[in-house]
Amino acid sequence: RRHRPDHANTTILLFGLLLLPLCLGGDPPQQGAKPMRKLRILCLHGYTQSAQNFARRTGALRKACKTVADFDYVDAPHIADAEWLENKLNERVVKRLDEPTLAWWNMEDRSSRPSMSRHYRGATESLKILEEHVESNGPYDGILGFSQGASAAALLCAKLKQSKRQPSFRFALFFSGFVPRDPEIVEIIKCCESEAADGKGLGSISSLHVWGEKDALISEDKSRELVGLFGQNAVTHRFRGGHLVPSGSDFRKMFREYLEKRRSEILERQEP
């Protein structure tokens, strides 16, 4: 005797498959819909960190956004040589002796801190290397930077705005950021700063600025100074932590939503 398919059960099964994405927090599949491409984000670590170290520290954010963006972490070209790194009694340094301690630039006064020093060594070289990296590995939709890496990211945003060879970033994500203080280097940003109000300079780049209220290394005033360079498209977020990239569930949700909005804007502009 031949078995007849149960059409009712088949219908229920297909309906259940359609509802499954909704149960998982996604959208139901649409026939003929093209999958949305993921964003590409260049990531710059902080002073004494490395690409590997920073990728590990931001793992929770990357996991939360794995369907929205790909993150490309790069190493700074210089070895950090601040005097305070020579103190072997510093517990945090001792724990990381087996990892490279890199810098986008070092301070002329080796006793100073990255956000305090007014004279840098190696910043121009780093910017050139980053421009070459973007040219070889881009294009990138956005850039993310932490601490000194956020300052380097702002410089790169300004540099690409002035470049005729490379497209600028569509958005920037700054964590514990600050405006560079070296007079020669800050001129790169000032060339765009004057145009921020009319949307032709840094103000045309959507930006997210995040800092901790307990950050003992980068004050809120310094981070807000960086906010001012990006004009009305800047969004700020203050959290109850210190000098770090937050990873709590509420922030992960907000961060993902911010990236999803940027992706939608970018894809809408690319449609014919």
Side-chain angles (χ1 to χ4, degrees):
R1 185 178 179 181
R2 295 180 62 184
H3 174 73
R4 294 184 179 179
D6 190 334
H7 296 294
N9 289 338
T10 301
T11 301
I12 293 174
L13 177 61
L14 291 174
F15 185 67
L17 291 174
L18 288 172
L19 286 179
L20 181 59
L22 293 176
C23 296
L24 296 176
D27 296 323
Q30 298 180 7
Q31 291 185 348
K34 295 181 180 180
M36 296 179 70
R37 74 165 179 86
K38 291 199 284 186
L39 299 169
R40 297 193 69 228
I41 301 175
L42 179 64
C43 303
L44 309 185
H45 60 77
Y47 190 72
T48 76
Q49 293 182 338
S50 66
Q52 181 180 6
N53 175 279
F54 191 42
R56 185 171 65 247
R57 288 171 176 262
T58 53
L61 282 186
R62 285 189 293 112
K63 184 177 180 180
C65 302
K66 63 183 178 180
T67 61
V68 181
D70 288 324
F71 298 83
D72 182 18
Y73 295 79
V74 295
D75 278 325
H78 308 293
I79 300 296
D81 67 1
E83 285 182 355
W84 43 270
L85 287 173
E86 299 172 0
N87 180 9
K88 303 301 183 185
L89 298 179
N90 186 316
E91 184 178 354
R92 289 190 301 174
V93 174
V94 170
K95 286 181 179 179
R96 290 164 43 193
L97 285 178
D98 59 335
E99 298 181 358
T101 52
L102 305 177
W104 297 105
W105 58 78
N106 280 296
M107 292 71 73
E108 196 69 47
D109 177 3
R110 294 180 59 232
S111 66
S112 184
R113 292 275 179 175
S115 64
M116 302 296 293
S117 175
R118 291 185 176 274
H119 299 285
Y120 303 157
R121 290 179 287 113
T124 301
E125 180 185 350
S126 289
L127 276 177
K128 182 178 179 181
I129 289 173
L130 284 171
E131 283 187 277
E132 292 173 349
H133 179 87
V134 171
E135 185 172 359
S136 300
N137 299 277
Y140 292 97
D141 298 293
I143 187 168
L144 181 156
F146 170 66
S147 195
Q148 188 191 59
S151 186
L155 285 169
L156 187 58
C157 285
K159 196 74 172 176
L160 293 185
K161 272 291 182 184
Q162 301 166 33
S163 173
K164 296 181 179 179
R165 295 186 306 167
Q166 295 295 322
S168 61
F169 300 109
R170 307 296 287 274
F171 62 88
L173 312 163
F174 301 108
F175 293 86
S176 298
F178 59 92
V179 176
R181 300 171 68 84
D182 186 299
E184 293 184 17
I185 298 301
V186 79
E187 281 299 320
I188 298 172
I189 286 183
K190 284 186 175 181
C191 290
C192 287
E193 180 185 5
S194 60
E195 301 176 348
D198 59 15
K200 294 181 180 179
L202 292 177
S204 63
I205 300 175
S206 298
S207 61
L208 173 65
H209 303 255
V210 182
W211 62 82
E213 62 183 25
K214 297 180 181 179
D215 193 329
L217 298 179
I218 310 296
S219 67
E220 182 172 333
D221 289 344
K222 285 186 171 63
S223 289
R224 287 196 177 278
E225 184 182 4
L226 184 60
V227 174
L229 298 180
F230 285 82
Q232 297 181 350
N233 285 328
V235 175
T236 63
H237 178 82
R238 185 169 178 257
F239 66 98
R240 295 183 177 180
H243 193 64
L244 50 83
V245 176
S247 58
S249 59
D250 289 343
F251 181 78
R252 293 199 306 269
K253 182 176 181 295
M254 184 275 286
F255 187 73
R256 179 187 172 93
E257 290 174 349
Y258 183 87
L259 291 185
E260 287 176 335
K261 186 174 182 179
R262 300 286 81 76
R263 180 171 68 169
S264 295
E265 291 173 350
I266 291 171
L267 295 181
E268 286 177 3
R269 292 174 183 174
Q270 292 177 347
E271 290 181 357

